């Protein structure tokens, strides 16, 4: 084998080739301008890839980087311009992505969405529902807020489809959240929220800057506010009964849509709209009234066993007016409890959100029951407060029961004489009426003497019926076996559902029904004892006997799903009524003394009033006409 030798010529050749390559690389290195362009291209590519993960059809870059985009990106930008016009700029900003900004106050936890610029989540930090889950008024897309408008280049746009840029600043103790939908850096539509500490209401301002040449002033600009109200209570049917859309219009009038499967209405000069969810509510208030408003309410509970998430769907449409070609609307938003004390403190007529009753019924609740119950509740548990308030009310109305018993006692005493009159003039009904009225007048034993005091109790009865379902203070407050006085109490869960009754057994309605039965048995027996003997009375007696059983049964079924606090009131109230009746009958009324007084009254000459004289004349004329007709 031939031995290899060191070849100097080969080494020199390799060195020359390596030197030539180095020279070529040095000649072809990029200039500083080319390096900067390459770096910018990389940034654009990274931004595009990040935005593609959120919104595949939108290319995100800065306006000054348009010249560095690829052909495909340029097509996307052109498509955005064709679709959004001037507002395409907002979709080229880094904020053009599905992102939420979290802001917290002492009472609220709020999330603002870049897309649409509005609240995507509202959590009330101090409350939970019947399953101990935090109360959310807005969550998982159940609400929408949108401004629809037309542009001068004939585009119809919706803010809920466009991206806003969020910024958070401080204004003293208040937190300001600004959401801007930009046409350029100096032209935009802004939602401005100003959140206050320890307040469920916050400022909300909609304004535009530099958009007078963008908005088409010949077309309507509408604000659409929608929400599907979440179920928060144990009984969805009971909660739904007090879930309704309420609004104020024409300088202080208020109205609501009611409880139908679908209701709608249109009114003028709207100052506020409340989407009330029984114990929680969302309210939009305007500093200056909206010119008009269209409202709708749809019941979402068709089957209580299936439709268990939402109660109703509310929608409001309100027109926005341009001022000098710009939007400028100052409003407030309230997300919080339907608590009379909180709502009334704003002094904006928001107490009308609560169904306290109209006229005298509302006055009794506002100026008597609410202050009294609030005072008692500050010193004792709310269950005891209900019992104490019931006792106080019944003691104040005890004179009414006394007047009723006194009237019934008098009628019972003169019953033999009334029967004698009916027997004597059995063929002359007009004469029976005349003599009966004359005897009752002389004895001071008119049936009206018992009816009129009973009417005094009706406003109190109805006011309390409205008070307890609206009493936020008793929500989730326990008493004895009841876990929540604002909901039904349960002592037994049934494996089946009874129509109109439910799938559970509540004890307070049972106790209230038993108390009503004995109370009606006592009062009906007393009333029957005062009725004169006549034909047809057996039928009347049967009807009154049926009522003794029908009323407690109706109470049992009707209140099984109602607030246990209301059933507790009726139970205690009827127990006290029974006690008062027994006391008056055995220790206050003396029938012998009443009889003696009646005889004295009968002996005295009785001066007839003008009304009595007129009635007597009319009856005599009717009797005379009857006689002439027979002739």
């Amino acid at each position: 084998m031939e031995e290899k030798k060191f070849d100097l010529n080969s080494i020199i050749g390799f060195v020359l080739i390596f030197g030539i390559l180095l020279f070529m690389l040095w000649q072809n290195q990029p200039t500083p301008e080319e390096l900067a362009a390459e770096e910018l291209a990389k940034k654009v590519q990274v931004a595009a890839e990040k935005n593609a993960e959120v919104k595949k059809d939108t290319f995100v870059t800065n306006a000054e980087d348009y010249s560095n985009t690829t052909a495909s990106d340029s097509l996307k930008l052109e498509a955005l311009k064709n679709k959004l016009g001037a507002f395409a700029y907002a979709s080229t900003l880094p904020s053009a992505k599905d992102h939420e900004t979290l802001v917290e106050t002492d009472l609220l936890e709020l999330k603002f969405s870049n897309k649409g610029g509005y609240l995507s989540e509202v959590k009330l930090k101090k409350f939970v529902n019947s399953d101990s889950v935090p109360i959310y008024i807005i969550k998982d897309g159940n609400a929408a807020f949108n401004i629809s408008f037309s542009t001068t280049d004939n585009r119809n746009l919706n803010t809920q489809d466009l991206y806003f840029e969020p910024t958070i600043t401080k204004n003293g103790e208040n937190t300001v959240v600004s959401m801007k939908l930009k046409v350029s850096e100096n032209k935009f539509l802004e939602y401005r929220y100003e959140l206050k500490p320890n307040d469920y209401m916050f400022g909300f301002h909609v304004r535009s800057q530099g958009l007078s040449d963008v908005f088409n002033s010949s077309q309507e600009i509408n604000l659409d506010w929608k929400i599907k109200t979440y179920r928060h209570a144990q009984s969805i049917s009971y909660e739904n009964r007090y879930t309704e859309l309420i609004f104020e219009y024409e300088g202080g009038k208020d109205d609501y849509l009611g409880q139908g499967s679908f209701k709608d209405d249109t009114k003028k000069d709207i100052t506020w709209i409340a989407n009330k969810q029984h114990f929680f509510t969302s309210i939009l208030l305007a500093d200056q009234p909206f010119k008009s408003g269209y409202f709708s309410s749809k019941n979402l509970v068709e089957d209580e066993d299936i439709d268990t998430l939402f109660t109703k769907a509310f929608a409001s449409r309100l027109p926005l007016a341009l001022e000098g070609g710009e939007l400028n609307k100052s409003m407030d938003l309230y997300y919080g409890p339907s608590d009379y004390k909180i709502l009334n403190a704003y002094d904006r007529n928001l107490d009308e959100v609560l169904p306290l009753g109209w006229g005298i019924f509302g006055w009794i609740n506002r100026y008597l029951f609410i202050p009294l119950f609030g005072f008692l509740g500050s010193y004792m548990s709310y269950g005891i407060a209900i019992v104490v308030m019931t006792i106080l009310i019944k003691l104040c109305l005890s004179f009414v029961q006394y007047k009723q018993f006194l009237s019934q006692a008098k009628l019972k005493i003169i019953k033999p004489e009334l029967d004698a009159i009916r027997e004597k003039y059995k063929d002359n009904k007009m004469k029976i009426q005349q003599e009966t009225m004359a005897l009752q007048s002389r004895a001071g034993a008119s049936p009206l003497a018992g009816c009129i005091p009973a009417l005094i109790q009706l406003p109190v009865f109805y006011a309390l019926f409205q008070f307890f379902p609206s009493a936020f203070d008793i929500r989730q407050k326990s008493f004895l076996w009841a876990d929540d006085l604002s909901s039904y109490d349960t002592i037994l869960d049934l494996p089946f559902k009874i129509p109109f009754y439910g799938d559970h057994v509540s004890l307070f309605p049972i106790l209230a029904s038993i108390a009503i039965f004995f109370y009606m048995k006592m009062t009906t027996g007393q009333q029957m004892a005062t009725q004169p003997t006549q034909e047809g009375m057996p039928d009347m007696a049967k009807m009154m006997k049926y009522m003794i059983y029908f009323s407690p049964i109706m109470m049992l079924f009707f209140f099984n799903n109602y607030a246990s606090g209301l059933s507790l009131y009726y139970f205690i109230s009827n127990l006290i009524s029974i006690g008062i009746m027994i006391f008056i009958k055995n220790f206050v009324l003396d029938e012998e003394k009443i009889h003696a007084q009646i005889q004295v009254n009968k002996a005295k000459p009785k001066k007839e009033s003008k009304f009595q004289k007129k009635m007597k004349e009319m009856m005599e004329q009717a009797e005379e006409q009857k006689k002439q007709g027979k002739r």
Side-chain angles (χ1 to χ4, degrees), residues 29-67:
Q29 67 179 347
T31 65
E33 290 79 9
E34 290 173 332
L35 289 173
E38 183 179 351
E39 183 66 24
L40 185 59
K42 288 181 180 179
K43 289 181 179 179
V44 171
Q45 182 64 24
V46 170
E49 290 174 355
K50 286 184 178 180
N51 194 57
E53 294 176 1
V54 179
K55 189 175 181 182
K56 294 180 179 179
D57 60 345
T58 302
F59 177 72
V60 179
T61 183
N62 290 324
E64 60 268 22
D65 293 336
Y66 286 170
S67 59

Side-chain angles (χ1 to χ4, degrees), residues 510-523:
I510 294 175
L511 295 175
S513 298
I514 293 172
I516 287 175
F517 172 76
F518 284 105
Y519 175 70
M520 291 194 67
K521 197 168 183 65
M522 293 174 68
T523 55

Side-chain angles (χ1 to χ4, degrees), residues 411-412 414-423 432 436 440 447 527-538 540:
L411 290 172
K412 182 180 178 181
I414 65 172
K415 180 178 180 297
E417 296 178 62
L418 292 173
D419 289 339
I421 290 173
R422 290 183 176 277
E423 180 63 27
I432 290 174
T436 297
Q440 290 174 345
Q527 290 172 0
M528 290 302 297
T530 65
Q531 297 298 320
T533 304
Q534 64 180 94
E535 293 182 4
M537 283 309 296
M540 177 67 73

Side-chain angles (χ1 to χ4, degrees), residues 135 149 154 266 321 347 379 456 482 496 546 580 584:
I135 293 291
F149 59 92
N154 297 319
T266 302
D347 196 25
Y379 290 98
I456 298 175
F496 50 85
Y546 291 147
I580 291 174
I584 292 174

Side-chain angles (χ1 to χ4, degrees), residues 180-182 185-190 207-209 211:
K180 289 183 179 178
L181 173 60
K182 292 185 174 181
E185 287 302 314
N186 298 318
K187 295 182 178 182
F188 51 80
L189 172 66
E190 181 186 27
R207 74 180 187 98
S208 65
Q209 178 176 299
L211 301 187

Side-chain angles (χ1 to χ4, degrees), residues 5 12 17 128 152 157 248 299 336 358 364 495 512 532 542 572:
K5 295 181 179 180
I12 293 171
I17 293 171
V128 295
T152 51
L157 300 177
E248 185 183 70
N299 185 15
W358 55 272
I364 292 173
K542 286 181 180 179
I572 300 298

Side-chain angles (χ1 to χ4, degrees), residues 60-91:
V60 179
T61 183
N62 290 324
E64 60 268 22
D65 293 336
Y66 286 170
S67 59
N68 298 303
T69 61
T70 65
S72 175
D73 297 330
S74 298
L75 290 174
K76 292 177 182 178
L77 289 171
E78 191 64 31
L80 280 174
K81 288 181 180 180
N82 291 335
K83 180 180 179 182
L84 304 178
F87 289 95
Y89 175 80
S91 293

Side-chain angles (χ1 to χ4, degrees), residues 323 359 538 590 603:
E323 298 176 5
D590 188 330

